[in-house]
Amino acid sequence: MEKNIDVKIISIDEVIKIFKEEEGIELTNEEAEQISVFLSMLLKITVKCFLEDNMI
């Protein structure tokens, strides 16, 4: 049975805030958007692999 993976995308504002508070780095909206898209993609791949490994 295949499951549909739904991941909440981290907002651009949240990414900017985290980098500013934790690392002291000022990001542009474009940079924060790229990071958000990358993290979303990484999470989807990780969850998909986890589900496939545990379906055995």
Side-chain angles (χ1 to χ4, degrees):
M1 178 169 80
E2 187 171 322
K3 296 185 181 201
N4 188 11
I5 301 170
D6 186 28
V7 176
K8 179 184 176 235
I9 296 175
I10 301 170
S11 76
I12 294 170
D13 292 334
E14 289 174 300
V15 173
I16 291 172
K17 181 180 175 186
I18 290 169
F19 270 80
K20 186 174 184 178
E21 290 178 357
E22 299 294 327
E23 302 295 329
I25 298 172
E26 297 279 342
L27 295 177
T28 64
N29 282 348
E30 292 81 19
E31 292 169 329
E33 184 177 4
Q34 289 176 348
I35 291 169
S36 178
V37 168
F38 173 75
L39 291 174
S40 176
M41 178 186 65
L42 185 62
L43 183 57
K44 287 177 185 178
I45 292 169
T46 302
V47 170
K48 182 177 180 182
C49 289
F50 174 79
L51 291 173
E52 288 174 355
D53 288 347
N54 290 309
M55 297 289 275
I56 296 174

